[in-house]
């Protein structure tokens, strides 16, 4: 980590906000300031759709590194983590391996990641899960597709298939996550759920279910049936697509 990145106070993202007083000699070179102004203008006029990943990432980095050219760092982050979502989802310790990334940058990236997760979650929680299936898949991809280790989540539904709870049950390694079927079913009773959807990710990017995935699903399905619960689906989330056990005929 670089020490100077820790102490820099953030600048406003848009020109209309008051700017902090900079120390003498800290003024940005005109070519950098002009570049920033053009990116801000493009974002105001066209939104994120008008910008490639590296430019959107630059906008984020402006606040964390107000006195530096952020283009090289944005490129380095994308080279390491693949795309904008990969950068936001990268673990802090891996972000810190990139030269120029300090606490200010990590804090800004993790704040935006948290905001994205909360926004996606708000679109599915207390909503009808089946009729809002696309939003549900978007939420699962937003929160899980770029994780570097496996995560197992359970979405609990009431009798009307309204999503009443979304809980992370376990975290694992790059290719395994421990799951306890009795605990999953027990928790369903505790939250007064009638049905559930299992979700886990494959960090490899390939959502093809493993034999362990099939075995775990069968054990949870048996536990649910014994308690009068319905297992609607098991989603395996990859980098760019997902596998639905229900759609594939596995359930």
């Amino acid at each position: 980590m670089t020490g100077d990145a820790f102490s820099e106070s953030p600048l406003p993202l848009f020109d209309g906000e008051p700017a902090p007083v900079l120390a003498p000699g800290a003024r940005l070179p005109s070519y950098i300031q002009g570049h920033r102004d053009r990116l801000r203008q493009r974002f105001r006029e066209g939104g994120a759709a008008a910008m490639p990943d590296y430019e959107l990432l630059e906008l984020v980095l402006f606040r964390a590194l107000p006195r530096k050219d952020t283009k090289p760092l944005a490129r380095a982050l994308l080279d390491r983590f693949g795309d904008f979502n990969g950068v936001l989802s990268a673990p802090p310790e891996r972000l810190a391996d990139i030269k120029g990334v300090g606490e200010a940058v990590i804090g800004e990236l993790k704040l935006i990641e948290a905001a994205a997760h909360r926004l996606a979650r708000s679109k599915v929680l207390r909503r009808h899960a089946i009729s809002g299936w696309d939003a549900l898949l978007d939420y699962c991809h937003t929160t899980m597709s770029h994780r570097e280790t496996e995560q197992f989540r359970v979405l609990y539904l009431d009798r009307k298939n309204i999503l009443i709870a979304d809980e992370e049950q376990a975290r694992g390694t790059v290719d395994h996550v421990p799951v306890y079927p009795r605990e999953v079913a027990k928790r369903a009773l505790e939250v007064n759920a009638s049905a559930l959807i299992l979700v886990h990710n494959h960090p490899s990017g390939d959502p093809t279910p493993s034999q362990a995935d099939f075995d775990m699903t069968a054990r949870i399905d048996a536990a649910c049936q014994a308690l009068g619960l319905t297992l609607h689906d098991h989603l395996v989330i990859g980098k760019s697509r997902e596998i639905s056990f229900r759609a594939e005929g596995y359930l």
Side-chain angles (χ1 to χ4, degrees), residues 21-57:
V21 177
L22 301 180
R27 182 181 297 275
L28 283 172
S30 59
Y31 75 92
I32 296 179
Q33 186 59 55
H35 174 66
R36 292 187 172 197
D37 290 343
R38 287 190 294 273
L39 288 188
R40 291 181 176 120
Q41 181 71 20
R42 193 180 309 158
F43 183 81
R44 280 193 294 264
E45 293 176 352
M51 313 185 79
D53 279 2
Y54 75 90
E55 290 184 341
L56 193 62
L57 187 54

Side-chain angles (χ1 to χ4, degrees), residues 140-154:
C140 293
H141 277 281
T142 297
T143 56
M144 301 177 73
S145 65
H146 285 82
R147 286 183 175 270
E148 297 183 344
T149 57
E150 285 199 14
Q151 180 193 54
F152 179 75
R153 307 181 74 89
V154 182

Side-chain angles (χ1 to χ4, degrees), residues 114-124:
H117 289 185
R118 184 161 296 187
L119 177 61
R121 190 171 187 264
S122 72
K123 294 180 179 179
V124 298

Side-chain angles (χ1 to χ4, degrees), residues 1 7 11 22 40 52 64 69 122 155 182 193 218 222 226 242 244:
M1 299 184 186
S7 59
L11 284 178
L22 301 180
R40 291 181 176 120
D69 180 4
S122 72
L155 309 180
R182 290 183 181 178
E242 73 286 334
S244 160

Side-chain angles (χ1 to χ4, degrees), residues 118-183:
R118 184 161 296 187
L119 177 61
R121 190 171 187 264
S122 72
K123 294 180 179 179
V124 298
L125 195 62
R126 304 293 172 184
R127 309 289 179 91
H128 194 280
I130 307 304
S131 63
W133 195 248
D134 288 344
L136 188 66
L137 292 179
D138 286 344
Y139 169 61
C140 293
H141 277 281
T142 297
T143 56
M144 301 177 73
S145 65
H146 285 82
R147 286 183 175 270
E148 297 183 344
T149 57
E150 285 199 14
Q151 180 193 54
F152 179 75
R153 307 181 74 89
V154 182
L155 309 180
Y156 294 101
L157 315 176
D158 66 11
R159 294 183 183 279
K160 296 182 179 180
N161 286 326
I162 302 297
L163 179 61
I164 57 175
D166 158 37
E167 299 186 356
E168 178 182 332
Q169 295 290 318
R171 295 186 184 186
T173 64
V174 294
D175 59 2
H176 173 71
V177 61
V179 178
Y180 304 99
R182 290 183 181 178
E183 293 301 317

